[in-house]
């Protein structure tokens, strides 16, 4: 076993974070697995292949021979999803897949993408049923194994521990990280104009693989019915349907019940948060900070800004 000494030296550090051992080795998939489906925003069909990768390589996307690492360095602000961009190539809606990979411990993974129009510079991850449950299912089916590097050595898995409180605000929305011995996530949302959603809070303590699989992964993305036409006019949710999202009307309530949880919208925000915070991962180490993360009325841009703040970028 190597102790990731070279990786420790290269890890992104700041006054807010210290990297410490998790007591286990980096992992990867035991084999390759594919899934295809319609993308939420473009409405086009794409295929994703998850492949094993060497220890220390981390998670990255391969699209038309271009490699884009799943790190905050390549995240760009985009409406209603998380997008990675490099050299003009974009991978959209990565948050559900990255959430599942981070939560289930797939530290190193090559993610190959093919879309229906091979000349395009943009690709999008299939939305599937709007949750991360299908990704968790395929990961469990293929299984995990200890990853080895190109020299045949295993690598220790490190995790970023938050040393002092840090927060990011946008108007009345915020996301904050507080020192904690374990990973805890607390999220609040507020939709006063949609009574069926209203104000919700959800908290996990502590967060582990089993809790994620049973309590978070199956929560689906949601939208407000009265906003659908506006979003489609803006070129978004072209692939959205009652099969891949839960839709709520301000006057009629939920249009496609039943919900999987009474607070499913809030749980889905936690799912998104995990995917976005996974962008802190480097060299096959844990991305999700060991901290109590508290968010209120957050979104992908705010989540990404917390990662940047923890990285010392902003």
């Amino acid at each position: 076993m190597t102790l990731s000494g070279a990786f420790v030296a290269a890890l992104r550090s700041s006054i807010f974070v210290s990297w410490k051992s998790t007591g286990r080795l980096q992992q990867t998939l035991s084999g390759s697995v594919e899934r295809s489906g319609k993308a939420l925003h473009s409405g086009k069909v794409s295929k994703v292949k998850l492949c094993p990768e060497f220890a220390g390589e981390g998670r990255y996307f391969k699209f038309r021979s271009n490699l884009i690492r799943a790190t905050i360095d390549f995240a760009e602000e985009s409406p209603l999803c998380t997008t990675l961009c490099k050299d003009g190539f974009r991978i959209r809606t990565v948050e559900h897949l990255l959430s599942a990979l981070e939560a289930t411990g797939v530290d190193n993974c090559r993610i190959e993408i093919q879309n229906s129009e091979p000349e395009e510079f943009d690709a999008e991850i299939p939305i599937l049923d709007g949750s991360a449950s299908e990704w968790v299912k395929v990961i469990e089916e293929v299984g995990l194994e200890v990853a080895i590097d190109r020299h045949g050595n295993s690598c220790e898995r490190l995790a970023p521990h938050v040393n002092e409180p840090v927060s990011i605000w946008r108007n009345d929305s915020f996301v904050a990280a507080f020192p904690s011995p374990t990973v805890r996530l607390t999220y609040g949302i507020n939709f006063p104009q949609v009574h069926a959603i209203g104000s919700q809070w959800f908290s996990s303590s502590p967060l582990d693989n089993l809790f994620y699989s049973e309590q978070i992964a199956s929560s689906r993305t949601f939208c407000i019915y009265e906003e659908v036409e506006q979003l489609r006019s803006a070129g978004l949710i072209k692939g959205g349907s009652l099969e891949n999202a839960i839709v709520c009307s301000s006057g009629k309530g939920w249009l496609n019940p039943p919900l999987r949880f009474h607070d499913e919208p809030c749980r889905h925000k936690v799912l998104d948060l995990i995917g976005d915070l996974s962008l802190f991962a480097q060299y096959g180490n844990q991305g999700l900070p060991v901290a109590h993360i508290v968010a209120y009325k957050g979104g992908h841009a705010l989540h990404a800004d917390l990662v940047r703040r923890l990285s010392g970028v902003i």
Side-chain angles (χ1 to χ4, degrees), residues 96-113:
H96 298 174
L97 172 56
L98 291 181
S99 180
L101 292 171
E102 175 74 19
T104 57
V106 184
D107 307 311
N108 302 280
C109 184
R110 183 175 75 255
I111 307 162
E112 300 178 354
I113 305 178

Side-chain angles (χ1 to χ4, degrees), residues 235-253:
L236 302 170
I237 65 168
K238 294 179 180 179
S241 71
L242 296 178
E243 282 69 51
N244 56 34
I246 47 176
V247 183
C248 195
S249 166
S250 58
K252 299 180 181 179

Side-chain angles (χ1 to χ4, degrees), residues 23-238:
R24 72 170 184 81
L25 302 175
Q26 291 186 17
Q27 299 181 121
T28 189
L29 298 169
S30 295
S32 299
V33 64
E34 294 182 2
R35 282 296 182 273
S36 61
K38 184 179 293 187
L40 174 62
H41 294 299
S42 69
K44 298 174 182 177
V45 173
S46 62
K47 180 171 70 174
V48 170
K49 184 178 181 180
L50 306 180
C51 307
E53 187 49 274
F54 288 111
E57 294 295 328
R59 296 181 288 258
Y60 64 91
F61 293 86
K62 183 177 181 181
F63 174 51
R64 291 182 57 189
S65 301
N66 296 274
L67 306 183
I68 306 178
R69 296 201 172 276
T71 68
I72 194 62
D73 306 275
F74 303 106
E76 69 173 19
E77 188 165 339
S78 56
L80 299 183
C81 70
T82 296
T83 298
L84 299 176
C85 178
K86 181 183 177 185
D87 299 331
F89 290 88
R90 286 179 173 81
I91 312 295
R92 303 171 68 191
T93 321
V94 300
E95 58 270 17
H96 298 174
L97 172 56
L98 291 181
S99 180
L101 292 171
E102 175 74 19
T104 57
V106 184
D107 307 311
N108 302 280
C109 184
R110 183 175 75 255
I111 307 162
E112 300 178 354
I113 305 178
Q114 295 180 357
N115 59 10
S116 55
E117 298 183 21
E119 299 305 314
E120 287 194 347
F121 285 76
D122 289 11
E124 187 174 356
I125 304 299
I127 190 62
L128 303 177
D129 74 341
S131 75
S133 59
E134 184 65 19
W135 296 120
V136 171
K137 180 181 177 181
V138 299
I139 292 167
E140 290 176 345
E141 286 178 355
V142 72
L144 303 181
E145 64 183 28
V146 172
I148 58 172
D149 65 17
R150 297 178 186 275
H151 303 289
N153 299 313
S154 57
C155 293
E156 185 178 25
R157 185 184 195 247
L158 305 178
H161 287 247
V162 170
N163 298 323
E164 59 182 80
V166 57
S167 62
I168 297 287
W169 289 78
R170 289 193 181 186
N171 300 317
D172 64 341
S173 304
F174 72 86
V175 59
F178 301 93
S180 170
T182 59
V183 177
R184 296 179 58 198
L185 302 174
T186 298
Y187 216 111
I189 61 174
N190 189 26
F191 290 83
Q193 76 280 18
V194 185
H195 298 302
I197 299 178
S199 178
Q200 299 181 7
W201 284 91
F202 178 80
S203 186
S204 68
S205 178
L207 179 70
D208 57 26
N209 186 2
L210 182 62
F211 186 91
Y212 180 86
S213 299
E214 294 183 350
Q215 303 294 328
I216 297 174
S218 63
S219 56
R220 296 161 291 178
T221 192
F222 65 98
C223 70
I224 311 304
Y225 174 74
E226 286 76 13
E227 299 176 357
V228 168
E229 288 307 317
Q230 179 182 355
L231 291 172
R232 285 184 170 164
S233 297
L236 302 170
I237 65 168
K238 294 179 180 179

